[in-house]
Amino acid sequence: MHSTEMSSWVNCLAQGQNDRFVPCQLGDSIQQPFRDVTGQIVDALWLITPITDHFLGFRLLVLIRIFPHVLQVILMLTKLFDFNLNSVTESSLWRSTDYGTTYQKLNEKVGAKTILSYLYVSPNNKRKIMLLTDLEVESSLLISSDEGATYQKYRLSFYILSLLFHPEQEDWILAYSHDQKLYSSVEFGRRWQLVHERVAPNRFYWSKTGLDKEPGLIHLETIISEGQALYVTCKLQNCTEANKGKPFPGYIDPNSLVVQDEYVFVQVSTGGRPIYYVSAKREVFTPMKLPKYTLPKDLHVISTDENRVVAAVQEWNQNDTYNLYVSETGGVFYTLALENVVSSMGHEGNVMIDLYEVAGIKGMFLANKKMDNVVKTYITYNRGRDWRLLQAPAADLRGNSIRCELPYCSLHLHLHVSANPYTSGNIESKDSAPGIIVASGSIGAELTTSNVSMFITSDAGNTWRQIFDEEYSVLYLDQGGALVAIRHTPLPIRHLWMSFDEGRQWNKYSFTMSPLFVDGLLGEPGEETLIMTIFGHVSHRSEWQLVKIDFRSIFNRRCTEGDYQTWHLHNRGEPCIMGVKRIYRKLKPIARCVMGKTYSVTMTSEPCDCTEADFECDYGYDRRSDGKCTPAFWFLPSSMSRSCTTGTTFINSTGYRKVVSNNCTAGVIAEYTARRQHCPTQAPKGLHLVTSEGKLTATLGTNVTFLVFLEEGDGARTSIMVDFGDGHALTYSNVSSIENGVKHVYKAVGIYRVTATAENSLGSESVVLYLHVTCQLEYIHLSAPFVAVKSKEVNLTAVLWPSQVGTVTYIWWFGNNTEPIITLEGSVACTFSREGVNTVTVQVSAGNAILQDRKTIAVHEYFRSHLLAFSSNLDDHNPDVAEWRLDISRVIKNSMVKLSEILLSALNQNLVQFTLRPGVQVTVYAAHLSAAPLVDTSENHSGSAMLMLLSVVVLGLAIFVVYKFKRYSLLGRWENVTNQVGKFLSVDETF
């Protein structure tokens, strides 16, 4: 390797007069460029990765977009963040028409005081630009149709959180607002129309040409409640109730809708277990069939290209790993591809799977698998049908031999994509450079984070070479014809490395005279150009510098046909991959020429004869150690799809299925391909009955949709009867006639035994579902006595309104007890072991509602109740409110106290007498209170009769008043349960 100064082809930028940037000499300091900045290259949606300078106390965020047109336009948006105010206080928009050699400040064109937040570019017309203002200041859009040269401003009545551009129509945009509303525009943001309210974030999708009936269709998930959502489709400009579509009959789990390519996925949880549904080519939804005992607790769709689904499933016994499953073209039947793939949590809480799809070569994946707490890297060339370890390089960077034999030692790679858009990730590959992969990793028995080096392969993973012994950012230039590497380091640097022969030889160059803290590289529009920009700072207190590097002067000519060679894709010498032999045209390593934007990857292919390696195990089959596919213990090969109809045919599996997009022909294809056979007549089997919401509860008076599925049997000739359990039943001639479900409305609360019966000439099968029909609990009242006898049982009753709400649980709390009593009945008997005031609380749980009531009970040794009547005119003044009873009770108590004073005076004057028998006159007088029993029946008693009236004053008379309304109020309905008639007053009496 050698070092070369690049002064002849390096330009840096310095700010000159009139807010323009002009070329400066290599190593010149930059007076006023962009301070403390970071940003990212985006197409339509933007992600910001800020870097904070604690010395300066503020930061700038840079968003950059380059337009690959004749003008070679770069737009740069900078924002100043004030930490004291915790907000963005300034922004500037810069524009270059010469790939960054000079910049012009456009603040006057967008409004000198306007603070910009995001920059968007139409993916279908790069000339159309959209700028979004800072939401904390105003809500406006600035729109340009001339690559950002001029702008028009449009006010908005809502705040935009995200945008989604149509993949084909350049003026069609969806905007999601801060209040969960979705808007649409067909004029590139100049006018907006409300599409729908209560839309789940990031759960709205444009229609796909060739699959949806019209291009203006929108797929979206609407929020119904905290645990329920709906999948609906809307017309772009006419989303009325009459025009809405509901492709899935029933509620779905929140944030579960995924519309990707020709597939639609939703999730419905039943009994705490998720059920995943898929629709292929917009047909009816079908439950995804994973192996029987997979029992997933989480599922992520990884890929849907090439008419097949790759799903990562976290099973019941996994925590930090996922299993990879692959489907057939319908996306319904899944087989295991690779177990225990490493997973981690991303910066925004999203799950990241260590699976990398290699660009440029279909069917090639890399994955990190964990086994016995050791992580190893595996590679597949046939979409997960076969995996193997990576062969380590034969020599290290210095040419020393590496002793590393499979399977004990191999090469392991880090497969994460960089979170910083200005630096390359742990692994890089490009469609324009098939076979070239650059990645960081380690050699040994497992993947480690220490002693990380950089490795490259130019033959699609068959052989690897070590290129650096530290981590580097690597950019592909000129369609992979040149590679540029800059060291990952917190220290300042002044060199970069460049290779023209697919990483075999690296040359060292200086790009600045003063060492620079490098924060990122810009190569947009990517590997098609030979221009890149490095940005960073000289010190933590210095201004930021942009260094533009134009590599074009290194090359003196364009590539000709003689500069190319053919390359045969292979897997350890096997040329037939995915059923074909693929031959690519690649640049010769010794060629030093420019391929340019007009270059395109060319490949020729010829089919291979089919072998067993072109087939994977079908659903329900496991691969044995000898490679043969045999039925799993839970699978019956004779089982058929419920759509198999007598008189028609079905596909009877051989235990194998051809790997999706595999193009082999002849060979053993007839032996391994499933055979079409006539459907035999059979009795119905595998009948399923569920509600569309996947729940066992329903609300009184609402439509309940029941879904009936039949796994086996002649669906077209099997009748279905659904008995709703309330005296109503319906019969249908065949299963297909109720694919959208059976609706029924229950008119009374209760638990209903719903039965579905499938029957044909050969037999029948039934299935039962117990449905709890409930209504909302509005109020409860605890009916309890106001006074009770010590150690004597009393009854407590919880009265509900409405009286019938479905399944109810009662939780009773007595005094200071820490453990409650739980019953299914609304009454409970209890005793109190001590005198005094005791508190009783009852909580009633009905559905999602929990209500409670509380009463206090006075406990005495003995007491007696007297019923008192009131004159009828009392009810004439009853306002029918709860406070009325309390006030009347207070008045009656006061009256009784006054009466007790008159009685006490009579007792003290010996005016209270009665005749016990002729000649025996008994005088009643007031006695002193004591702690003795209220009734003394011992033989030593003096024999005189003593009556003691306990009252709250003087004599301790305790009075409890309950006034019963003639009219019913919500708080008084509890009295309907009493057998007493009339108005009563309860008075404590002891004797």
Side-chain angles (χ1 to χ4, degrees):
M1 298 184 181
H2 59 277
S3 176
T4 303
E5 293 296 333
M6 297 169 56
S7 57
S8 62
W9 47 280
V10 176
N11 291 295
C12 60
L13 303 178
Q15 188 176 25
Q17 297 179 351
N18 302 322
D19 288 323
R20 293 182 63 86
F21 281 94
V22 297
C24 63
Q25 296 299 316
L26 183 66
D28 284 357
S29 62
I30 304 213
Q31 302 301 318
Q32 293 292 330
F34 314 100
R35 305 183 194 177
D36 200 12
V37 297
T38 186
Q40 80 176 33
I41 307 164
V42 297
D43 285 320
L45 298 180
W46 296 81
L47 174 67
I48 308 173
T49 308
I51 296 177
T52 305
D53 191 328
H54 297 287
F55 292 101
L56 297 178
F58 60 84
R59 67 185 179 194
L60 277 170
L61 308 178
V62 179
L63 307 176
I64 300 177
R65 174 69 201 184
I66 302 177
F67 304 92
H69 294 297
V70 176
L71 292 179
Q72 301 179 345
V73 173
I74 299 176
L75 284 180
M76 181 178 294
L77 171 61
T78 65
K79 297 191 293 184
L80 174 63
F81 187 89
D82 191 315
F83 283 105
N84 294 324
L85 299 177
N86 195 33
S87 63
V88 176
T89 57
E90 296 178 21
S91 70
S92 296
L93 182 66
W94 306 84
R95 185 172 187 263
S96 171
T97 59
D98 52 12
Y99 266 142
T101 302
T102 60
Y103 280 84
Q104 181 182 7
K105 192 174 182 179
L106 302 183
N107 281 27
E108 293 299 327
K109 293 186 178 181
V110 298
K113 296 183 178 180
T114 300
I115 299 179
L116 301 175
S117 180
Y118 294 101
L119 185 153
Y120 300 88
V121 182
S122 171
N124 303 298
N125 185 346
K126 305 298 183 182
R127 296 182 61 85
K128 294 187 175 181
I129 314 299
M130 181 180 293
L131 295 170
L132 180 62
T133 58
D134 193 310
L135 299 182
E136 295 184 2
V137 180
E138 61 174 316
S139 182
S140 299
L141 287 177
L142 290 98
I143 297 173
S144 172
S145 297
D146 53 10
E147 292 185 319
T150 59
Y151 294 88
Q152 288 182 310
K153 192 172 187 178
Y154 296 86
R155 296 281 183 179
L156 297 176
S157 60
F158 58 95
Y159 296 101
I160 295 177
L161 290 184
S162 62
L163 293 178
L164 181 64
F165 291 81
H166 193 278
E168 298 171 355
Q169 300 290 335
E170 63 184 54
D171 291 332
W172 291 10
I173 309 174
L174 294 177
Y176 186 73
S177 71
H178 68 293
D179 54 357
Q180 298 182 326
K181 294 180 180 179
L182 187 67
Y183 296 84
S184 67
S185 174
V186 294
E187 302 177 52
F188 200 71
R190 292 174 176 84
R191 291 183 180 84
W192 294 91
Q193 179 175 328
L194 178 65
V195 176
H196 206 288
E197 297 181 347
R198 292 180 61 81
V199 176
N202 302 317
R203 301 293 172 177
F204 46 91
Y205 308 86
W206 283 110
S207 58
K208 186 173 179 62
T209 303
L211 289 174
D212 294 288
K213 296 180 180 179
E214 52 186 294
L217 200 67
I218 304 169
H219 303 263
L220 52 92
E221 178 185 310
T222 62
I223 303 170
I224 303 301
S225 64
E226 183 178 351
Q228 293 179 326
L230 280 176
Y231 166 34
V232 300
T233 56
C234 276
K235 293 184 178 180
L236 177 62
Q237 297 291 89
N238 189 18
C239 187
T240 62
E241 287 296 326
N243 290 328
K244 281 184 188 177
K246 293 185 179 179
F248 186 83
Y251 295 116
I252 65 175
D253 291 350
N255 297 311
S256 69
L257 174 65
V258 175
V259 181
Q260 192 166 309
D261 295 326
E262 65 177 48
Y263 300 96
V264 182
F265 304 89
V266 296
Q267 174 184 318
V268 177
S269 294
T270 303
R273 289 180 56 185
I275 301 176
Y276 302 96
Y277 292 85
V278 62
S279 167
K281 298 181 179 179
R282 307 300 189 261
E283 295 180 353
V284 296
F285 279 88
T286 304
M288 296 167 60
K289 290 187 177 293
L290 294 163
K292 186 174 182 179
Y293 295 105
T294 299
L295 304 179
K297 59 183 180 182
D298 192 23
L299 184 148
H300 295 275
V301 176
I302 302 297
S303 172
T304 54
D305 61 349
E306 298 291 320
N307 299 320
R308 186 186 73 158
V309 179
V310 178
V313 178
Q314 189 172 57
E315 302 188 23
W316 63 274
N317 58 346
Q318 293 179 303
N319 293 318
D320 57 355
T321 61
Y322 281 71
N323 291 345
L324 292 182
Y325 288 87
V326 294
S327 78
E328 31 62 77
T329 55
V332 175
F333 297 97
Y334 289 79
T335 57
L336 181 63
L338 186 64
E339 292 183 293
N340 297 316
V341 179
V342 175
S343 66
S344 59
M345 197 64 66
H347 295 288
E348 298 182 356
N350 55 311
V351 176
M352 301 177 64
I353 310 295
D354 267 20
L355 177 71
Y356 180 78
E357 184 173 9
V358 178
I361 299 178
K362 293 294 184 182
M364 185 176 173
F365 291 84
L366 291 159
N368 284 330
K369 177 179 178 179
K370 185 176 183 180
M371 183 174 293
D372 299 328
N373 292 321
V374 173
V375 177
K376 297 174 180 283
T377 302
Y378 290 79
I379 189 171
T380 180
Y381 294 85
N382 52 11
R383 295 191 168 276
R385 196 275 190 190
D386 299 294
W387 296 84
R388 65 172 174 83
L389 294 168
L390 298 179
Q391 178 65 61
D396 63 13
L397 187 62
R398 297 162 186 82
N400 301 317
S401 297
I402 298 177
R403 298 187 60 183
C404 184
E405 297 186 5
L406 298 172
Y408 311 103
C409 174
S410 58
L411 173 64
H412 311 286
L413 305 177
H414 296 281
L415 302 179
H416 287 167
V417 177
S418 174
N420 185 349
Y422 283 159
T423 60
S424 63
N426 298 118
I427 184 168
E428 288 285 337
S429 61
K430 300 292 183 181
D431 287 322
S432 60
I436 301 178
I437 309 171
V438 182
S440 63
S442 58
I443 298 173
E446 62 178 314
L447 178 66
T448 64
T449 57
S450 59
N451 299 321
V452 175
S453 301
M454 296 298 297
F455 300 90
I456 192 171
T457 176
S458 55
D459 59 1
N462 285 282
T463 59
W464 294 82
R465 300 182 301 276
Q466 184 182 6
I467 54 176
F468 299 106
D469 54 11
E470 294 179 284
E471 287 194 87
Y472 277 68
S473 291
V474 178
L475 263 68
Y476 289 62
L477 298 179
D478 189 34
Q479 316 256 19
L483 300 175
V484 176
I486 290 186
R487 181 185 171 195
H488 274 199
T489 176
L491 302 175
I493 58 176
R494 57 188 293 267
H495 297 99
L496 57 80
W497 300 82
M498 193 166 185
S499 173
F500 304 97
D501 56 1
E502 299 178 338
R504 293 175 178 83
Q505 181 74 18
W506 291 86
N507 300 321
K508 184 178 180 181
Y509 298 92
S510 296
F511 63 89
T512 178
M513 296 298 293
S514 301
L516 187 70
F517 291 94
V518 175
D519 293 290
L521 312 177
L522 302 178
E524 179 73 9
E527 63 273 15
E528 295 179 353
T529 69
L530 284 167
I531 299 175
M532 63 176 289
T533 301
I534 300 175
F535 67 93
H537 55 280
V538 175
S539 70
H540 291 293
R541 293 180 178 272
S542 70
E543 305 290 352
W544 286 75
Q545 297 190 17
L546 276 72
V547 180
K548 175 187 174 183
I549 305 177
D550 191 340
F551 295 91
R552 289 176 295 183
S553 61
I554 291 182
F555 304 92
N556 54 16
R557 64 183 179 86
R558 279 197 167 272
C559 297
T560 62
E561 192 60 34
D563 295 309
Y564 294 96
Q565 65 181 3
T566 58
W567 171 65
H568 296 253
L569 174 64
H570 66 94
N571 176 13
R572 291 193 295 190
E574 172 54 55
C576 289
I577 297 177
M578 296 295 289
V580 294
K581 295 178 181 178
R582 282 178 272 184
I583 303 174
Y584 294 85
R585 188 182 72 154
K586 296 179 64 174
L587 195 65
K588 293 178 180 179
I590 60 173
R592 183 70 66 88
C593 57
V594 177
M595 290 187 285
K597 297 180 181 180
T598 59
Y599 168 79
S600 61
V601 176
T602 58
M603 180 196 70
T604 58
S605 62
E606 58 180 81
C608 300
D609 288 343
C610 291
T611 65
E612 187 269 343
D614 296 308
F615 295 83
E616 61 190 4
C617 290
D618 206 349
Y619 173 77
Y621 290 81
D622 294 331
R623 187 178 301 279
R624 300 185 315 196
S625 58
D626 61 359
K628 301 295 183 182
C629 295
T630 58
F633 74 94
W634 51 265
F635 183 69
L636 295 176
S638 60
S639 64
M640 293 173 289
S641 170
R642 65 185 179 90
S643 61
C644 187
T645 304
T646 302
T648 62
T649 61
F650 74 101
I651 298 177
N652 190 14
S653 176
T654 62
Y656 297 84
R657 67 187 185 194
K658 197 175 183 181
V659 175
V660 173
S661 71
N662 186 295
N663 295 315
C664 70
T665 58
V668 299
I669 191 168
E671 178 183 348
Y672 286 94
T673 301
R675 300 174 180 85
R676 185 168 293 278
Q677 299 179 359
H678 289 284
C679 292
T681 303
Q682 58 178 349
K685 185 178 180 181
L687 187 65
H688 297 276
L689 173 66
V690 296
T691 61
S692 59
E693 296 86 358
K695 297 185 177 181
L696 298 177
T697 61
T699 303
L700 183 68
T702 60
N703 259 325
V704 184
T705 302
F706 296 96
L707 302 178
V708 182
F709 301 103
L710 182 63
E711 290 184 358
E712 300 179 27
D714 187 351
R717 300 187 184 185
T718 299
S719 64
I720 297 291
M721 185 190 74
V722 181
D723 187 335
F724 301 106
D726 61 350
H728 296 84
L730 293 174
T731 302
Y732 299 87
S733 59
N734 55 60
V735 177
S736 59
S737 62
I738 55 172
E739 284 186 345
N740 293 326
V742 180
K743 298 183 184 297
H744 186 66
V745 177
Y746 287 91
K747 298 182 179 179
V749 170
I751 302 177
Y752 295 90
R753 187 177 189 270
V754 186
T755 306
T757 303
E759 184 176 7
N760 61 22
S761 59
L762 294 181
S764 64
E765 184 174 84
S766 296
V767 64
V768 176
L769 179 149
Y770 293 96
L771 184 71
H772 294 240
V773 178
T774 64
C775 65
Q776 183 66 34
L777 177 63
E778 299 180 13
Y779 172 75
I780 68 167
H781 175 80
L782 175 58
S783 177
F786 292 90
V787 64
V789 178
K790 176 183 174 182
S791 300
K792 185 177 180 180
E793 189 175 84
V794 295
N795 289 323
L796 307 175
T797 302
V799 185
L800 310 182
W801 176 255
S803 59
Q804 296 294 328
V805 294
T807 306
V808 176
T809 303
Y810 300 86
I811 303 103
W812 306 86
W813 303 83
F814 297 95
N816 294 323
N817 291 350
T818 58
E819 295 293 333
I821 297 175
I822 301 175
T823 67
L824 297 178
E825 299 293 334
S827 297
V828 69
C830 67
T831 58
F832 299 96
S833 59
R834 63 178 181 84
E835 291 187 80
V837 177
N838 288 269
T839 301
V840 178
T841 303
V842 62
Q843 292 182 328
V844 178
S845 175
N848 294 326
I850 297 181
L851 301 180
Q852 79 173 32
D853 192 16
R854 177 177 294 148
K855 289 291 186 295
T856 56
I857 300 175
V859 179
H860 299 286
E861 278 290 341
Y862 301 99
F863 78 93
R864 177 174 291 177
S865 298
H866 286 286
L867 295 179
L868 302 180
F870 301 93
S871 56
S872 60
N873 60 351
L874 180 61
D875 268 327
D876 296 338
H877 301 278
N878 181 6
D880 198 15
V881 293
E883 290 79 7
W884 168 263
R885 175 167 44 240
L886 298 176
D887 286 335
I888 291 297
S889 300
R890 177 177 48 80
V891 172
I892 295 174
K893 288 180 182 179
N894 292 337
S895 299
M896 294 297 292
V897 169
K898 292 179 181 178
L899 179 60
S900 68
E901 292 176 350
I902 297 173
L903 178 60
L904 179 61
S905 176
L907 291 171
N908 289 333
Q909 299 179 45
N910 296 329
L911 297 178
V912 180
Q913 298 178 350
F914 64 92
T915 301
L916 183 62
R917 67 169 70 106
V920 180
Q921 192 77 10
V922 178
T923 299
V924 181
Y925 58 92
H928 295 290
L929 295 176
S930 70
L934 295 181
V935 178
D936 190 349
T937 59
S938 65
E939 296 179 356
N940 296 328
H941 195 272
S942 63
S944 61
M946 181 176 64
L947 173 66
M948 182 172 9
L949 300 177
L950 297 180
S951 176
V952 291
V953 288
V954 186
L955 297 181
L957 178 65
I959 303 171
F960 304 91
V961 179
V962 178
Y963 177 70
K964 179 180 178 181
F965 295 128
K966 283 185 178 179
R967 288 174 285 171
Y968 298 134
S969 68
L970 180 62
L971 296 177
R973 294 183 187 274
W974 62 272
E975 293 165 353
N976 292 330
V977 300
T978 184
N979 294 324
Q980 299 183 19
V981 180
K983 312 162 185 68
F984 63 89
L985 176 69
S986 177
V987 181
D988 256 5
E989 179 182 336
T990 61
F991 59 95

